[in-house]
Amino acid sequence: MSQIYDRVALIGLGLIASSMFWAIKRGGLAGEVTGYARSQETRDTARRIGLCDRVCDNAAQAVEGADLVVLCVPVGVMGAVAAEIAPHLKPGATVSDVGSVKRSVVEAVSPHIPEGVHFVPAHPLAGTEHSGPESGFAELFDNRWCLLVPVEGSDTRAVAKLRAFWEGLGSNVEEMEIERHDLVLAVTSHAPHLIAYTMVGVADDLRRVTDSEVIKYSAAGFRDFTRIAASDPTMWRDVFLTNREATLEILGRFTEELFALQRAIRTGDGEMLHDYFTRTRAIRRGIIEAGQDTDAPDFGRGKVKT
Ligand SMILES: NC(=O)c1ccc[n+]([C@@H]2O[C@H](COP(=O)([O-])OP(=O)(O)OC[C@H]3O[C@@H](n4cnc5c(N)ncnc54)[C@H](O)[C@@H]3O)[C@@H](O)[C@H]2O)c1
Ligand SMILES: O=C(O)C(=O)C[C@]1(C(=O)O)C=C[C@@H](O)C=C1
């Protein structure tokens, strides 16, 4: 892999930024990587573990002379951070972000982007339930999608360069239109997280009644829910507050389906339940057959009863 940018600045040093840093180093994608995080504790940790070539004590210093600046902070503070760095951006630089929601980030950041600086929003579809500077690892983006969401007038050369950068980080890159991004992610990521949070909350309430049996005997499905529900509260609060409409739309549909299933259980409509589960099973198999689930084990393929 070869160097794509002379200098990259990462603002906010958590899971995504730290994974980016290790993957940049693995691929030799930048000459120098500077970093800044708001809290002294995070900056101290970053210095201690060698995260970033240079950790700066303010955002202005970190972005000075940078060819690419990536905002890796919670979606709710993207605008404030953009305002803080704007006067210090190098002409011709590219500003990008990794936020899980795109419409609100574009609205919050765009007004602060100076003339001659390019803004190319992005979203790597990869993560874990962990957060903070010590949670990152170089392989996080390998074989995962990264969606680029260029805004009106985004410079095509800046977009192409950012694409090459994300490919260098290990991702498969595609472009997507803003509204579509927010709706698709509401279905595939945001609503499922809310459902996991709710299910774990219900189990916790129940735990008080059943004296810890729920947690003690939790099976794989519920354990997966608890992993998701351990995700960062600030990040997810911001996701739901900023992708409100799309998430509410999907949750509305979800609730209708849930009521239909609830009714089928109450009325003993086994046919409805069986048809429904047959349909959803076909979707999972379609994903695996298309080779789109990189986590799916090989041994189950073709062996499931139809
Ligand atoms: N975690 C995931 O699964 C995941 C996946 C894809 C995208 N994202 C997006 O990436 C972004 C970062 O998420 P993360 O998981 O790395 O979070 P994180 O909590 O691990 O890191 C966020 C960092 O931002 C810093 N920060 C917060 N406010 C700041 C401010 N005003 N100025 C400077 N630094 C500030 C925090 O101190 C922390 O270091 C979010 O926008 C999130 O939506 C997260
Ligand atoms: O794997 C996980 O833990 C994630 O939640 C990652 C996940 C997702 O929902 O797929 C979470 C938020 C993102 O914006 C992108 C990826």
Side-chain angles (χ1 to χ4, degrees):
M1 210 70 71
S2 55
Q3 188 170 312
I4 292 171
Y5 295 101
D6 288 341
R7 190 181 291 176
V8 172
L10 302 173
I11 308 298
L13 298 174
L15 168 72
I16 300 297
S18 56
S19 298
M20 288 179 76
F21 174 73
W22 300 120
I24 290 170
K25 288 292 150 187
R26 178 187 68 175
L29 306 178
E32 188 194 29
V33 182
T34 57
Y36 167 73
R38 187 188 39 170
S39 89
Q40 179 71 47
E41 193 188 341
T42 303
R43 297 197 296 271
D44 289 345
T45 305
R47 287 186 180 114
R48 177 173 54 77
I49 64 173
L51 174 63
C52 295
D53 299 316
R54 195 156 48 87
V55 176
C56 303
D57 286 322
N58 59 67
Q61 258 174 27
V63 305
E64 226 159 75
D67 306 285
L68 173 68
V69 175
V70 190
L71 309 181
C72 305
V73 295
V75 171
V77 294
M78 292 276 183
V81 172
E84 197 180 337
I85 61 170
H88 312 282
L89 292 167
K90 174 172 139 176
T94 295
V95 172
S96 186
D97 76 295
V98 293
S100 303
V101 179
K102 294 274 69 100
R103 166 57 62 201
S104 81
V105 170
V106 168
E107 281 175 3
V109 171
S110 292
H112 302 292
I113 301 294
E115 193 75 30
V117 170
H118 311 295
F119 179 37
V120 188
H123 182 198
L125 305 187
T128 73
E129 70 278 26
H130 302 297
S131 52
E134 294 181 278
S135 58
F137 52 99
E139 299 77 21
L140 179 66
F141 310 111
D142 287 350
N143 265 318
R144 300 283 168 177
W145 290 110
C146 179
L147 299 175
L148 299 188
V149 186
V151 290
E152 216 182 289
S154 274
D155 180 79
T156 50
R157 273 169 311 171
V159 175
K161 211 166 163 180
L162 191 67
R163 170 184 279 270
F165 176 72
W166 274 103
E167 285 171 353
L169 293 175
S171 292
N172 304 313
V173 180
E174 273 196 5
E175 286 184 28
M176 197 180 266
E177 188 265 325
I178 297 182
E179 310 306 336
R180 181 138 195 88
H181 170 279
D182 286 359
L183 185 64
V184 168
L185 266 292
V187 177
T188 60
S189 176
H190 305 167
H193 271 78
L194 200 76
I195 293 161
Y197 279 124
T198 314
M199 202 54 232
V200 175
V202 168
D204 186 48
D205 288 345
L206 211 61
R207 189 167 64 118
R208 290 184 197 115
V209 181
T210 60
D211 199 16
S212 97
E213 280 175 326
V214 171
I215 304 299
K216 187 171 169 190
Y217 299 119
S218 66
F222 182 69
R223 278 175 195 257
D224 287 348
F225 273 163
T226 62
R227 185 188 78 76
I228 297 285
S231 300
D232 188 68
T234 304
M235 168 186 159
W236 284 99
R237 175 202 62 197
D238 286 4
V239 166
F240 293 118
L241 294 181
T242 57
N243 199 19
R244 190 172 41 190
E245 260 126 67
T247 311
L248 289 177
E249 160 73 18
I250 300 308
L251 286 174
R253 285 166 186 251
F254 175 82
T255 314
E256 281 176 25
E257 298 279 298
L258 193 63
F259 279 145
L261 289 169
Q262 198 178 338
R263 186 181 158 75
I265 294 169
R266 191 177 36 249
T267 59
D269 188 348
E271 198 182 327
M272 188 276 185
L273 294 172
H274 192 270
D275 287 352
Y276 201 97
F277 301 154
T278 303
R279 181 157 67 91
T280 54
R281 174 189 252 192
I283 291 167
R284 167 72 183 171
R285 287 186 180 168
I287 293 172
I288 293 174
E289 271 157 28
Q292 285 174 358
D293 186 348
T294 48
D295 293 335
D298 276 341
F299 54 76
R301 284 183 207 173
K303 290 193 184 159
V304 197
K305 255 181 31 198
T306 46

